[in-house]
Amino acid sequence: MKKSPVLAIWISWFITAVNLIVGKYAIAYINAALFLFLSCAVATLCFLPHIHKVNGWKFLFGKKLIWKNLALGTLGTALPMTCMMIALNYTTPTNAAILNQFEIVYSLILAWILLKEKPSVQQLLGSALVVAGVTLLLWQAGFSVQLKGDLMVIGSLWMFQLSHIFAKKLPREMDPALIAVVRAMFALPALFLLIIYVVCTQGIIFTPAPTLWWALAFTAVINYFIGNIFWYYAIRNMALGKATAIILSYPVMTFILSALLGVDKVTTFKVLGLILALLGAYIVTGIVKTQGETKR
């Protein structure tokens, strides 16, 4: 049965919103790198039947693709998500979700440096709003440990942008599931090296508990397996502008769920930061204009 791209993007939206909250619950029981390694390993196992069915090994381990796949897995999952989970020791899921909008600023900077694309006035205005929203959160954090977590989130986002460059270089023949495989399978080498580093410097944290098991199950099966398939299916089968317009709003759901669960507190700074960051993100990507043209 053919899936609806609109339904797929909304499912991906919800999973993305919940993912940071799940990470917040898990981080007390396990090292970030170990948690992500186990999650990606289980997700990879879930993908094996599909890889075999479509003979996807040639796309995964072909001489011309393996290094791109490693770059995508390392920069798109292993390193930034490890930083993100460590940051959740200090900051909240809502802060992390809002701060993720700063990736758009990195996008403009890298496009300017690597592609010589000068940002437009509209993009600069939107970037200023994103920065304003982020600044409100940093201002509220002051010099508390939350500031450390917030800065870790901001400092890791440039890696996602570089991973997008490698993702665009993958063959169009790769179906959404195979691209999702790359994000999980090829994160494993870098995560393994990070685990060795953790063992040598800090020691392993692993406390078996029901919370940890359901967090691992969600991250592996729901996020990295099902969620990524739906995301790549959606952007392959609907206008990227529409998909981006929907996914950009996920911090709102993270905020609502996090507040209801008592993980986050509703503050004026947080609400204003959320509004400014989301408005800026929409302006930078041109979504507001695109949606207006679509309605007409």
Side-chain angles (χ1 to χ4, degrees):
M1 184 181 294
K2 190 174 181 180
K3 297 185 288 293
S4 164
V6 175
L7 177 61
I9 193 63
W10 279 111
I11 292 174
S12 179
W13 172 86
F14 184 77
I15 292 172
T16 303
V18 174
N19 189 49
L20 287 169
I21 300 174
V22 172
K24 180 69 173 181
Y25 278 108
I27 200 62
Y29 300 93
I30 191 171
N31 301 96
L34 180 57
F35 178 82
L36 291 166
F37 182 88
L38 294 174
S39 299
C40 289
V42 172
T44 299
L45 291 175
C46 294
F47 281 117
L48 288 179
H50 180 76
I51 298 172
H52 179 73
K53 179 181 178 180
V54 300
N55 191 25
W57 302 108
K58 61 182 179 180
F59 292 110
L60 298 177
F61 294 101
K63 291 182 179 179
K64 294 183 178 180
L65 292 175
I66 188 169
W67 296 110
K68 296 174 184 176
N69 292 340
L70 277 170
L72 178 56
T74 301
L75 296 173
T77 300
L79 297 182
M81 289 309 301
T82 298
C83 290
M84 201 78 66
M85 278 206 68
I86 294 174
L88 288 172
N89 281 298
Y90 312 105
T91 191
T92 68
T94 297
N95 273 36
I98 297 171
L99 294 169
N100 264 281
Q101 306 304 306
F102 198 82
E103 184 184 347
I104 287 176
V105 179
Y106 281 121
S107 176
L108 294 181
I109 294 172
L110 289 175
W112 195 356
I113 295 173
L114 300 178
L115 304 176
K116 308 302 179 184
E117 296 178 357
K118 292 185 178 181
S120 65
V121 174
Q122 176 182 334
Q123 290 173 320
L124 290 174
L125 173 61
S127 296
L129 289 174
V130 172
V131 172
V134 168
T135 301
L136 280 177
L137 296 184
L138 299 181
W139 181 272
Q140 183 183 37
F143 291 101
S144 66
V145 292
Q146 182 176 306
L147 179 63
K148 179 179 180 179
D150 290 347
L151 292 176
M152 287 183 68
V153 174
I154 295 173
S156 65
L157 297 175
W158 63 271
M159 289 182 275
F160 286 123
Q161 275 304 308
L162 287 183
S163 75
H164 299 334
I165 295 174
F166 290 102
K168 290 180 180 179
K169 295 180 181 294
L170 296 178
R172 294 188 63 82
E173 295 80 9
M174 290 181 70
D175 64 30
L178 284 179
I179 301 175
V181 170
V182 172
R183 289 288 302 275
M185 179 185 289
F186 287 91
L188 295 175
L191 289 170
F192 181 73
L193 293 177
L194 287 174
I195 291 172
I196 293 176
Y197 173 78
V198 169
V199 169
C200 295
T201 59
Q202 304 169 22
I204 285 294
I205 298 172
F206 185 83
T207 306
T211 299
L212 176 59
W213 298 131
W214 69 251
L216 278 169
F218 178 90
T219 306
V221 180
I222 305 300
N223 186 39
Y224 285 122
F225 179 51
I226 297 175
N228 278 343
I229 291 177
F230 277 119
W231 166 247
Y232 287 113
Y233 177 83
I235 63 175
R236 281 280 184 91
N237 293 279
M238 68 185 295
L240 183 58
K242 292 180 180 179
T244 306
I246 294 172
I247 208 71
L248 277 176
S249 65
Y250 84 86
V252 176
M253 179 54 71
T254 301
F255 191 10
I256 293 171
L257 292 175
S258 192
L260 290 175
L261 292 170
V263 178
D264 227 314
K265 293 181 179 179
V266 178
T267 67
T268 302
F269 278 94
K270 205 157 288 188
V271 173
L272 289 176
L274 176 65
I275 293 171
L276 288 173
L278 290 182
L279 179 59
Y282 275 77
I283 291 175
V284 169
T285 54
I287 299 304
V288 174
K289 180 179 178 182
T290 303
Q291 286 179 323
E293 291 173 350
T294 302
K295 288 179 181 177
R296 282 195 295 271

